[in-house]
Amino acid sequence: MCSERMVPRIARQLRRFHGIQVELPRQPHAPWGVISEWMTKAQQLQFDDDPVKQAAYKQIDFAALEADIQETRQVCALSHSPVVFGHCDLLSGNILILQQPGFDPAAPDLDGPLIFIDYEYGGYTHRGFDVGNHFTEYAGFEGDYARYPTKQQQELFFRHYLAQDQQQVAAATTAAAGASHDSTAAAAAAAAAEPAPVDPELLDALSAEAN
């Protein structure tokens, strides 16, 4: 998922995903609505059958946690991250590369069509949350946050994410001119191509949203 071969494809696919228009309220629920629900449930827990766990639970300072959440929310608001339709659970297991029937599992085609699955957490959210959540998934189920993408790795992702917009503009221009071409071959070539230079301010803005 985090290889230089896969990152551009995932970034472009996520940008396309963020362009989906769904007939749902555009009021973001994740992450703040979800966190609020979890906080409410957490404060109602009881561990009557486990005194050790109950004693540890009593040490949790929920007031301090709530203060941290509100401070984090205020800081995130400063990024002015746009609202998009997000996947909100883009871990490696939810990214598939489709294969031809009878393919050899020992030698899969890594250039096959790439799709996202499992949309149960999908909904309108802030773009930075969806991208940042994806970056967090680099840690894997082991929670090894040393794998969190470096600035250089993030820039690779951002450049191809933004390049998807450039590709859409180019495709629209070509279509308007009446040109015809093999769309599958064109899409593959565009995905493999080095993206055009991106405004550093756009890169910085995306980084601020996601981190």
Side-chain angles (χ1 to χ4, degrees), residues 63-200:
L65 279 175
E66 182 63 34
D68 287 344
I69 290 169
Q70 294 307 318
E71 181 179 359
T72 303
R73 185 170 187 170
Q74 292 172 5
V75 171
C76 289
L78 297 176
S79 72
H80 303 290
S81 185
V83 174
V84 299
F85 187 79
H87 186 282
C88 302
D89 192 27
L90 201 55
L91 48 80
S92 59
N94 288 338
I95 302 171
L96 301 185
I97 300 178
L98 302 184
Q99 304 293 304
Q100 294 295 326
F103 79 99
D104 180 2
D109 176 14
L110 298 181
D111 295 318
L114 184 147
I115 64 170
F116 299 156
I117 63 170
D118 289 352
Y119 305 119
E120 68 267 31
Y121 295 117
Y124 283 106
T125 186
H126 294 285
R127 176 176 65 180
F129 170 71
D130 207 23
V131 175
N133 184 68
H134 172 62
F135 286 165
T136 301
E137 298 294 357
Y138 280 35
F141 292 114
E142 303 82 8
D144 182 3
Y145 290 99
R147 300 176 185 171
Y148 192 84
T150 64
K151 181 178 180 179
Q152 290 73 25
Q153 290 172 320
Q154 290 186 38
E155 182 174 326
L156 175 66
F157 184 97
F158 295 146
R159 287 171 62 218
H160 283 272
Y161 180 97
L162 294 169
Q164 178 60 28
D165 289 335
Q166 299 168 348
Q167 180 183 337
Q168 290 172 339
V169 171
T173 302
T174 301
S180 62
H181 59 279
D182 180 10
S183 59
T184 302
E194 184 70 13
V198 174
D199 185 341

Side-chain angles (χ1 to χ4, degrees), residues 13-36:
Q13 183 74 342
L14 185 59
R15 176 62 188 90
R16 288 191 288 267
F17 193 91
H18 285 168
I20 294 174
Q21 301 297 316
V22 180
E23 293 184 0
L24 292 172
R26 290 188 66 90
Q27 182 65 33
H29 183 57
W32 308 116
V34 175
I35 290 174
S36 179

